[in-house]
Amino acid sequence: MVRNVIGSVLALAGATAAVWSPFRDWYDGRPGRDYRVQDLFNGITGAGSGIAASVLLPLAFGALIALIGVVLRSRLLVALAGLIVLGFTVLWMVRQGQAAGSLTVSTDGRGLGDGVAMAAGGGVLMLIGAVVMSGRPRQRTYEPHPAPPAEADDWGPYGPDPTGPVPYRQNPYHLRPDDEARPYGETRPHEAQPYGDQGRRGDEGAHGDGYGPDGPPTLPAPNKRDEW
């Protein structure tokens, strides 16, 4: 945050200096707004120019790019603005040196003026501001943690489907298919009682003695001895 503030201040100061420089003297007391934009490509001439068609145009464009970069906190835009301002300033110096034969700096107002220094310094300040700025914070991407496996719902003995199979519906007594349809008390032929029909509880009836309606078996009467 602090780096962005310091870098933005430097970039805005550089943009202000770049826009203000054409109103200062550039060479031999001639202000920068008097140089035409096409002179930067075709060579410096003595013809004057309006403000809108002067070197103020590229410098103002660079300042606008710097302002957008500060608002968006974009280091790339701020650096691009500094390169535009510094590049057109160097291009003017090359054309002016070709026209005058050489570039001189003097204290009596002849040679390079303070306007050129302001334009070059503004471009350098914007480059420094781009370096100082930290830019926009990177958005952290959080990878969602895998959700834990859902625990099986406890539906009770019936399960989620009340009509589905449950443990006690699946023949808990291990009966055979023919056992389920057989009436109670009826036995199969191969399952006869070991003592016949007398040992079956169903034959006790009302006697309750376990011998059936005929009672217990009787023994033959003993033979009478002949009396003398």
Side-chain angles (χ1 to χ4, degrees):
M1 181 66 181
V2 177
R3 292 181 56 184
N4 278 332
V5 172
I6 297 175
S8 299
V9 171
L10 293 176
L12 292 176
T16 302
V19 173
W20 184 250
S21 64
F23 299 93
R24 306 292 296 176
D25 295 339
W26 278 47
Y27 197 80
D28 288 342
R30 185 180 178 182
R33 64 177 183 271
D34 197 34
Y35 292 94
R36 300 179 301 175
V37 176
Q38 54 266 34
D39 290 347
L40 300 177
F41 304 97
N42 300 328
I44 301 297
T45 63
S49 173
I51 296 179
S54 65
V55 294
L56 175 63
L57 182 62
L59 298 181
F61 177 73
L64 179 61
I65 296 297
L67 180 60
I68 295 175
V70 169
V71 173
L72 299 179
R73 290 182 292 179
S74 174
R75 302 174 60 186
L76 180 61
L77 290 178
V78 175
L80 178 62
L83 291 176
I84 291 174
V85 172
L86 195 59
F88 276 99
T89 302
V90 172
L91 180 60
W92 175 88
M93 294 174 66
V94 171
R95 293 301 186 184
Q96 182 63 41
Q98 292 175 350
S102 64
L103 295 177
T104 59
V105 179
S106 62
T107 58
D108 56 359
R110 299 183 62 85
L112 294 174
D114 55 355
V116 179
M118 290 181 64
V124 172
L125 282 177
M126 283 186 273
L127 291 177
I128 296 175
V131 174
V132 173
M133 291 176 63
S134 60
R136 288 179 293 182
R138 296 179 179 178
Q139 297 181 354
R140 297 180 180 180
T141 56
Y142 296 94
E143 297 182 357
H145 296 285
E151 297 182 358
D153 296 334
D154 185 9
W155 295 90
Y158 293 98
D161 184 9
T163 61
V166 291
Y168 55 78
R169 290 181 181 173
Q170 298 178 1
N171 196 7
Y173 301 105
H174 305 285
L175 299 177
R176 288 173 290 188
D178 54 346
D179 290 338
E180 298 180 358
R182 185 178 50 161
Y184 176 76
E186 181 181 347
T187 59
R188 295 188 182 87
H190 62 277
E191 293 181 352
Q193 296 292 332
Y195 300 102
D197 294 338
Q198 295 181 357
R200 293 170 51 185
R201 296 177 60 88
D203 295 338
E204 292 179 2
H207 300 275
D209 53 3
Y211 295 101
D214 297 333
T218 59
L219 297 176
N223 296 327
K224 292 182 179 183
R225 294 181 179 180
D226 295 333
E227 296 182 355
W228 296 97

